[in-house]
Amino acid sequence: MSKLKVGIIGGTGMVGQRFISLLENHPWFEVVSIAASANSAGKTYEQAAGSRWKLSAPMPDSVKNIVVRDAAAHVKEICAEVDFVFCAVDMKKDEIKRLEEEYAKNETPVVSNNSAHRWTPDVPMLIPEINSQHVKVIDSQRKRLGTKNGFIAVKPNCSIQSYVPALAPLLKFGIKNVIACTYQAISGAGKNFSDWPEMLDNVIPYIGGEEEKSEQEPLKIWGSVQNGEIVKAASPLITTQCIRVPVTDGHLAAVFISFENKPSKEEILELWENYSGEPQSLQLPSAPKQFIKYFEEDNRPQTKLDRDIENGMGITAGRLREDHLYDYKFVCLSHNTIRGAAGGAVLMAEYLKAKGYIQAK
């Protein structure tokens, strides 16, 4: 099978680097184009990103000599050489909206890591195991954009992908209220300790915009498709606090939950153990075999030990117990730059390909 040709828009940033690392030797996709800001345009990828490469894995040889294009100025040229693009740019929200729509209108599907289109009603925001049915709004989006093949699909915020998967199979018990306190790694800000030394031995109790996203985005994921738009769910009521902690990768959440019909602990654990979605049934290349893994040990999951489970695509949970104010409390963990960012977007692209939304041009 010939591989689909992929462009990375925003390829020099941390998430762009993670895309490039994950796509090395991918069975379905091949990176053939990289775009970034005008400052990087005209340089080879190694020249543009080499000194800023933040990952522990080395830069793949296959991309070092790709000449970086200007993401905004060379849209038509990029679209002419790729089948679809991943987008992870650092720009103002209105600029990102226009840029992503320009790629889509040039008949190139956009799988986005950005937040700009998360609340556009006909843009699906996917965790593929949970709300894959939302892809059907793409037909309405294409009518609005006037495209045959181009569209935009987005990945939700990294902070919610620790606890939303654990809550999703429990919705049938009528979740009323959720408190989620997230302890978020510095890579979520696109940084590591060498360029953010202020985070050493430090905790910052504020991440701009993160709490609003963490409280509202799950409601779109759990929403329904009506008249070609996604209408967000009315419940549960979610409140969050989002805290930056001195960890390289991995977002941990402490969750409190109350139900209309309280399940037993055994019911919850069985649902978590057996929870899977279309990525698992389709055996997509990036899909974890076990979506949620529960640890019986009191001191797990731990960020350093467990963030890489299932190649960083699995969700881990632990410490499920009854609470005297809420029905239950537990902790859960996801790898924020893999499942929560680039890896989640790659899985989404695999699903869109499997369903025929992304094809070779």
Side-chain angles (χ1 to χ4, degrees):
M1 180 181 70
S2 60
K3 295 184 181 183
L4 294 182
K5 298 174 182 178
V6 177
I8 310 294
I9 312 303
T12 56
M14 179 173 276
V15 175
Q17 294 175 23
R18 183 66 77 177
F19 273 123
I20 285 167
S21 179
L22 290 174
L23 292 171
E24 184 182 17
N25 301 318
H26 190 282
W28 294 1
F29 307 144
E30 179 184 5
V31 177
V32 300
S33 182
I34 302 172
S37 69
N39 292 333
S40 297
K43 302 174 183 176
T44 66
Y45 186 68
E46 187 173 30
Q47 291 170 336
S51 63
R52 294 184 285 157
W53 186 259
K54 297 177 184 290
L55 306 184
S56 57
M59 180 185 293
D61 290 335
S62 59
V63 300
K64 288 180 178 179
N65 293 319
I66 292 178
V67 176
V68 178
R69 295 181 185 270
D70 185 324
H74 297 140
V75 174
K76 290 186 182 297
E77 293 91 335
I78 295 166
C79 290
E81 61 188 22
V82 303
D83 296 311
F84 74 99
V85 297
F86 291 108
C87 190
V89 293
D90 183 11
M91 299 165 61
K92 293 179 181 178
K93 188 170 288 189
D94 287 345
E95 294 173 347
I96 295 172
K97 279 188 172 183
R98 288 194 296 270
L99 184 69
E100 291 183 343
E101 286 203 357
E102 189 174 356
Y103 278 91
K105 287 177 179 178
N106 277 274
E107 297 295 357
T108 300
V110 178
V111 179
S112 177
N113 189 74
N114 301 302
S115 64
H117 275 291
R118 287 181 190 158
W119 287 101
T120 304
D122 59 9
V123 171
M125 180 171 68
L126 298 179
I127 299 177
E129 286 90 347
I130 297 174
N131 63 327
S132 59
Q133 72 277 10
H134 284 186
V135 297
K136 59 188 176 184
V137 301
I138 289 172
D139 295 334
S140 298
Q141 184 194 148
R142 282 171 167 164
K143 289 178 183 176
R144 173 175 64 83
L145 295 175
T147 61
K148 180 182 178 183
N149 297 309
F151 66 89
I152 302 163
V154 299
K155 179 206 65 62
N157 194 47
C158 55
S159 67
I160 72 171
Q161 298 189 60
S162 54
Y163 60 89
V164 165
L167 297 177
L170 310 181
L171 289 171
K172 67 180 184 178
F173 298 110
I175 299 175
K176 293 192 299 183
N177 298 308
V178 175
I179 296 175
C181 296
T182 57
Y183 303 89
Q184 301 186 202
I186 63 173
S187 58
K191 298 183 180 181
N192 55 27
F193 286 117
S194 64
D195 52 27
W196 202 3
E198 297 86 356
M199 276 306 303
L200 287 166
D201 193 31
N202 194 22
V203 169
I204 299 176
Y206 174 72
I207 305 172
E210 202 78 353
E211 287 162 3
E212 180 183 4
K213 295 173 186 175
S214 298
E215 293 168 358
Q216 293 299 314
E217 288 187 17
L219 300 179
K220 181 173 181 179
I221 290 168
W222 294 327
S224 58
V225 177
Q226 300 177 25
N227 300 316
E229 296 184 347
I230 299 168
V231 178
K232 74 175 187 178
S235 62
L237 181 65
I238 303 171
T239 186
T240 66
Q241 288 202 103
C242 298
I243 299 168
R244 189 73 71 193
V245 295
V247 168
T248 54
D249 295 301
H251 288 355
L252 183 79
V255 182
F256 299 78
I257 183 171
S258 63
F259 295 95
E260 296 282 355
N261 302 294
K262 182 180 176 182
S264 68
K265 180 178 179 180
E266 290 71 25
E267 286 177 301
I268 294 174
L269 293 178
E270 183 178 0
L271 285 168
W272 283 349
E273 181 180 357
N274 296 316
Y275 187 35
S276 66
E278 284 198 88
Q280 285 71 38
S281 61
L282 292 169
Q283 297 183 327
L284 299 180
S286 299
K289 290 182 172 57
Q290 184 169 2
F291 187 29
I292 301 173
K293 175 177 174 57
Y294 184 79
F295 286 98
E296 295 288 351
E297 298 93 329
D298 288 337
N299 63 348
R300 301 283 289 278
Q302 293 181 26
T303 304
K304 189 172 184 178
L305 294 180
D306 302 314
R307 62 192 169 203
D308 292 318
I309 197 164
E310 295 273 8
N311 298 313
M313 291 296 289
I315 309 299
T316 53
R319 301 202 70 209
L320 176 66
R321 60 221 190 272
E322 294 194 46
D323 182 65
H324 63 276
L325 288 177
Y326 280 65
D327 288 328
Y328 288 100
K329 53 190 172 185
F330 59 91
V331 296
C332 41
L333 170 70
S334 64
H335 195 302
N336 58 297
T337 67
I338 301 182
R339 166 57 79 162
V346 171
L347 180 64
M348 179 165 49
E350 292 169 358
Y351 180 74
L352 290 164
K353 176 191 179 299
K355 290 297 183 178
Y357 287 95
I358 294 176
Q359 302 178 33
K361 289 182 179 177

